């Protein structure tokens, strides 16, 4: 990395790659993906070329969340440059610093902060160089528009390029360097046009599905009809004689037709004669609630204080309810695709993965080669939402390319993506609360059964309650899952928040207290109170006793360190819910890219609308029955409501994530609004299946 940067010359800023990340070994990311420590402790984060060009490097990937622009904004402000003067290189294991992966809304909070420090370090180095060049003390110099100039005489100046001409200088990133205060931002904090917007809307941007390399073969992989099906017999004779077919590969359990075109591979794979033995297990989505409760194991106490028994005795009223949330598909706009090419013992893979470095480690281990011989390049990615952390198509492409001796492309169809991608775990959540007649909570018991198999961390996120309760116990259980489960936007956060926030509305109903007021009576955290009051004020919330027949609902949430409150207004006609208006207040600390934060919040809201109203994975005996948009409904453009996002973060508070909080409270707010209009409580998702 450093050597590559030196070859280009200029000013190179080298810094630590981990930045306090990865988190402890008990973290979800490490437990779920088994990421290793970086194989190098430092790397190049920033280079200002001998011509004055600025390139920032980060191991994160761009999959629609806008981090390329956000990172560029941070570098531009620290170097006193316009936004379009900064190039950002992402997700290339040969060019960027090691990174655990793009998840958990960590890009701005960690990589962005590191790039700010790198840019500030570079700025100080430029000032020192200019002091000698201009024969002025550093205190009398300032940086602006790619130049260092005298504070007294702006004409007495030198460009960054002239300072670095024919030089190669390496500096260590200064961890405690003084960063530009919010009051002096010129790029950060503004609603700037995304630097990649034109490429994305004109089709110039290259996604993993677009990658084509010379001499490449197209693969059609034989997929099992159900999760646990076993192959008994296979006749490949017809496929081997189809036009364009180069070979039919059988590499242990991986069977694929390799052909000169995508169409030839698909047509030929249809002629494979396979006999399968399938499990006789007849479990379906109808059996899931009972399975979740019966198979729940690995109890984990997330939050505990006082005595539930004592709390329930002290309460004026008790309330018990059960909430159920089905599996949800990630349905990214772009199904997975990967291209692999071997050059001797060196492997290059193009893959739309959220974990380029994790994938590199996996591939090196699979083929027993050094990681330095594996390069993973993540092009633009058409959505991920956690599902593209695991990337089996890249493994398949690499295995097939090694057998074929030619580059190979493996690309999922929409049906393959929805059948063989991971789903958000289903959950059954039991809540029992005790409260006084004035709505004050005195006891809270929360038992959550998530279908997480060996990934219990998913179910723990967002399960703790923010409401002040002297007697509380929150326990999560890991239940068996008939389907493959994995990461999903906010992990289990949105699921746990749904149960908690609907239950809080049920307490409001039982006590006759306005839902906003009830929450405020039980909230001490100032940031929670601020987002709730801000959302209610911007929405025009009027105190009410539920149900009010107005179709309004409210919920609050906390995820990735960011606080959010959401108010909803909707209408119901038969079994169809029309969300008309949503107001969200978000506190994500210092907001680097306001438009990006709003876009992410809007995206989370619309995505959460789908999980609240329509989305559920139907399955039978290990086969997904909703493996296509014809049977799996997601929100469409005509379902999008009017959305207002109010940013209320304190600029003195470090930046936290904006990618996931938006999805956390929206399903509960919608459920509460449906009750407000109809008088019928919705404790099971998706809501429209249960409206009659």
């Amino acid at each position: 990395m450093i050597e590559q940067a030196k070859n280009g010359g200029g000013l190179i800023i080298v810094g630590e790659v981990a930045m306090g990340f990865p988190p402890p070994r008990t973290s979800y990311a490490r437990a779920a993906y088994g990421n290793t420590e970086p194989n190098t402790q430092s790397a190049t984060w920033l280079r200002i070329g001998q011509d004055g060009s600025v390139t920032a490097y980060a191991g994160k990937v761009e999959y629609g969340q806008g981090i390329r622009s956000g990172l560029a904004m941070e570098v531009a402000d620290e170097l006193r440059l316009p936004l379009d003067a900064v190039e950002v290189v992402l997700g290339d294991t040969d060019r960027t610093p090691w990174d655990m992966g793009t998840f958990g809304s960590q890009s701005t909070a960690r990589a962005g902060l590191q790039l700010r420090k790198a840019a500030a370090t570079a700025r100080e180095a430029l000032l020192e160089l200019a002091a000698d060049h201009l024969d002025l003390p550093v205190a009398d110099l300032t940086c602006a528009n790619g130049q260092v100039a005298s504070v007294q005489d702006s004409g007495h100046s030198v460009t960054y390029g002239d300072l670095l001409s024919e030089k190669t200088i390496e500096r260590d990133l200064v961890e405690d360097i003084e960063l530009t205060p919010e009051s002096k931002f010129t790029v950060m904090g503004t609603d700037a046009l995304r630097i990649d917007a034109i490429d994305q809307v004109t089709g110039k941007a290259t996604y993993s599905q677009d990658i084509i390399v010379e001499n490449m073969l197209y693969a059609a992989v034989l997929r099992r009809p159900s999760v646990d099906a076993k192959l008994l017999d296979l006749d490949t004779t017809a496929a081997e004689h189809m036009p364009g077919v180069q070979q039919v590969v059988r590499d242990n359990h991986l069977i694929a037709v390799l052909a000169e075109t995508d169409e030839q591979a698909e047509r030929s794979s249809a002629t494979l004669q396979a006999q399968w033995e399938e499990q006789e297990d007849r479990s379906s989505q109808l059996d899931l609630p009972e399975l979740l409760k019966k198979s729940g194991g690995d109890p984990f106490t997330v939050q505990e204080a006082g005595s539930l028994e004592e709390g329930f005795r002290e309460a004026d009223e008790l309330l018990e309810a059960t909430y159920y949330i089905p599996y949800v598909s990630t349905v990214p706009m772009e199904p997975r695709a990967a291209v692999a090419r071997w050059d001797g013992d060196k492997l290059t893979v193009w893959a739309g993965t959220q974990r380029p470095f994790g994938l590199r480690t996996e591939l090196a281990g699979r083929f027993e080669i050094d990681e330095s011989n594996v390069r993973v390049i993540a092009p633009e990615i058409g959505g991920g939402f956690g599902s593209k952390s695991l990337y089996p198509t890249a493994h398949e492409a690499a295995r097939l390319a090694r057998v074929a001796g030619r580059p190979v492309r493996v690309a999922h169809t929409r049906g393959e993506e929805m059948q063989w991608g991971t789903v958000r775990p289903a959950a059954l959540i039991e809540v029992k609360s005790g409260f006084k007649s004035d709505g004050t909570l005195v006891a809270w018991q929360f038992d959550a059964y998530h279908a997480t198999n060996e990934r219990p961390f998913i179910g723990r996120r967002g399960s703790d309650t923010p409401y002040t309760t002297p007697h509380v116990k929150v326990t999560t259980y890991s239940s068996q899952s008939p389907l493959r489960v994995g990461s999903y936007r906010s992990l289990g956060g949105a699921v746990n928040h749904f149960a908690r926030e609907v239950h809080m509305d049920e307490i409001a109903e039982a006590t006759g207290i306005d839902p906003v007021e009830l929450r405020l009576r039980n909230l001490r955290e100032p940031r929670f109170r601020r987002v709730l009051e801000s959302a209610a004020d911007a929405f025009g919330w009027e105190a009410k006793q539920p149900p009010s027949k107005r179709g309004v609902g409210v919920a609050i949430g906390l995820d990735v360190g960011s606080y959010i409150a959401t108010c909803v207004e909707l209408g119901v006609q038969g079994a169809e819910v029309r969300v008309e208006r949503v107001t969200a207040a978000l506190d994500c600390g210092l907001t680097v890219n306001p438009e990006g934060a709003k876009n992410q919040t809007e995206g989370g809201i619309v995505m959460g609308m789908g999980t609240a109203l329509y989305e559920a994975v139907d399955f039978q005996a290990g086969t997904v029955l909703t493996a296509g948009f014809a049977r799996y409904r997601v929100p469409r453009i005509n379902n999008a409501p009017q959305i207002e996002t109010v940013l209320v973060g304190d600029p003195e508070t470090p930046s936290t994530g904006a990618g996931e909080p938006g999805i956390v409270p929206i399903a509960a707010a919608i459920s509460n609004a449906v009750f407000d209009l109809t008088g019928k409580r919705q404790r099971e998702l998706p809501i429209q299946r249960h409206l009659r």
Side-chain angles (χ1 to χ4, degrees), residues 40-286:
T40 181
Q41 297 305 308
S42 64
T44 297
W45 284 89
L46 185 78
R47 184 173 72 88
I48 303 179
Q50 294 176 348
D51 59 354
S53 60
V54 177
T55 306
Y57 302 90
K60 300 296 182 184
V61 300
E62 174 64 61
Y63 55 90
Q65 76 278 41
I67 64 164
R68 181 180 285 106
S69 288
L71 298 179
M73 292 174 79
E74 295 183 269
V75 171
D77 241 346
E78 294 295 346
L79 282 174
R80 314 295 190 253
L81 290 167
L83 182 58
D84 60 6
V86 179
E87 178 188 2
V88 179
V89 176
L90 299 172
D92 184 333
T93 60
D94 270 15
R95 300 186 67 195
T96 63
W98 177 90
D99 187 86
M100 179 175 273
T102 309
F103 42 66
S105 299
Q106 296 290 326
S107 297
T108 299
R110 294 187 182 273
L113 179 58
Q114 190 78 340
L115 281 172
R116 284 190 70 187
K117 293 177 181 179
T121 301
R123 186 181 71 242
E124 292 302 312
L126 290 167
L127 287 168
E128 293 172 10
L129 290 170
D132 291 337
H133 186 90
L134 299 174
D135 195 24
L136 289 171
V138 168
D140 291 346
L141 298 174
T142 186
C143 293
N145 296 317
Q147 294 183 327
V148 182
S150 166
V151 173
Q152 303 300 324
D153 178 11
S154 60
H156 189 39
S157 63
V158 59
T159 67
Y160 295 171
D162 287 341
L163 282 173
L164 298 173
S165 178
E166 299 183 1
K167 292 186 177 69
T168 297
I169 303 169
E170 181 182 309
R171 290 287 181 94
D172 289 333
L173 181 149
V174 179
E175 284 291 338
D176 59 352
I177 196 164
E178 184 177 351
L179 300 176
T180 302
E182 186 263 346
S183 60
K184 294 185 178 179
F185 287 172
T186 59
V187 182
M188 286 188 283
T190 65
D191 293 333
L193 178 70
R194 283 178 54 162
I195 63 175
D196 51 9
I198 300 300
D199 286 354
Q200 291 187 352
V201 300
T202 59
K204 185 178 178 181
T206 300
Y207 292 81
S208 60
Q209 288 273 355
D210 299 324
I211 298 296
I212 297 175
V213 300
E214 187 178 356
N215 201 33
M216 185 179 77
L217 291 172
Y218 294 79
V221 178
L222 178 66
R223 305 291 180 190
R224 290 174 288 175
S226 57
V227 172
D228 296 316
K230 295 180 180 179
L231 183 64
L232 299 179
D233 189 45
L234 177 66
D235 185 351
T236 63
T237 305
E240 290 169 347
H241 291 87
M242 292 286 285
V245 172
Q246 293 301 305
Q247 66 183 117
V248 178
V249 176
R250 186 165 185 171
D251 183 18
N252 292 323
H253 297 295
L254 175 60
I255 300 166
V257 176
L258 302 182
E260 297 293 343
T261 70
D262 207 0
E263 294 79 7
Q264 290 170 339
E266 284 297 323
R267 284 197 297 267
S268 302
S269 67
T271 68
L272 293 172
Q273 301 296 310
Q275 295 182 20
W276 302 92
E277 178 184 56
E278 298 190 64
Q279 296 287 335
E280 295 184 1
D281 176 19
R282 296 296 175 185
S283 66
S284 72
Q285 70 271 9
L286 301 177

Side-chain angles (χ1 to χ4, degrees), residues 544-556:
K544 66 185 182 72
Q545 291 185 351
S548 71
K549 302 297 183 182
R550 289 190 287 128
V552 295
V554 64
I556 65 171

Side-chain angles (χ1 to χ4, degrees), residues 281-438:
D281 176 19
R282 296 296 175 185
S283 66
S284 72
Q285 70 271 9
L286 301 177
D287 309 311
L288 199 51
E290 182 181 4
L291 175 64
L292 291 171
K293 184 67 181 290
K294 283 186 175 180
S295 66
D298 190 24
F300 183 85
T301 302
V302 176
Q303 186 180 18
E304 186 173 22
S307 164
L308 286 177
E309 184 178 349
E310 181 181 340
F312 290 136
R313 273 200 314 268
E314 294 174 358
D316 294 332
E317 295 184 61
L318 302 178
L319 180 63
E320 294 184 72
T322 299
Y323 307 87
Y324 174 67
I325 303 91
Y327 290 117
V328 169
S329 177
T330 52
V331 287
M333 185 73 73
E334 179 198 31
R336 288 173 181 82
V339 173
R341 181 182 67 201
W342 288 90
D343 298 295
D345 290 333
K346 292 186 178 296
L347 171 64
T348 302
V349 173
W350 293 262
T353 174
Q354 294 173 229
R355 300 168 48 249
F357 289 88
L359 180 57
R360 180 183 70 174
T361 299
E362 294 168 5
L363 291 169
R366 174 181 286 275
F367 295 106
E368 299 181 339
I369 57 178
D370 192 88
E371 286 192 22
S372 62
N373 285 337
V374 181
R375 181 182 184 184
V376 176
I377 303 169
E380 302 297 294
I381 301 171
F385 315 117
S387 68
K388 292 178 180 175
S389 293
L390 300 174
Y391 218 83
T393 47
H395 289 259
E396 292 171 343
R399 291 169 64 186
L400 293 170
R402 195 168 211 185
V403 172
R406 291 174 59 178
V408 170
R409 175 183 188 263
V410 177
H412 274 177
T413 63
R414 174 59 60 188
E416 286 177 310
E417 184 68 27
M418 297 182 75
Q419 170 70 47
W420 298 108
T422 57
V423 295
R424 184 177 77 177
L428 182 79
I429 300 175
E430 298 174 335
V431 184
K432 181 179 180 180
S433 60
F435 46 93
K436 297 293 189 180
S437 57
D438 65 356

Side-chain angles (χ1 to χ4, degrees), residues 74 78 108 113 116 179-185 188-190 527 530 586-594 647-656:
E74 295 183 269
E78 294 295 346
T108 299
L113 179 58
R116 284 190 70 187
L179 300 176
T180 302
E182 186 263 346
S183 60
K184 294 185 178 179
F185 287 172
M188 286 188 283
T190 65
R527 296 176 73 181
R530 183 166 67 217
L586 174 68
D587 176 358
C588 58
L590 171 65
T591 307
V592 170
N593 183 356
L647 302 176
V648 298
D650 179 358
E652 298 303 315
T653 302
S655 299
T656 47

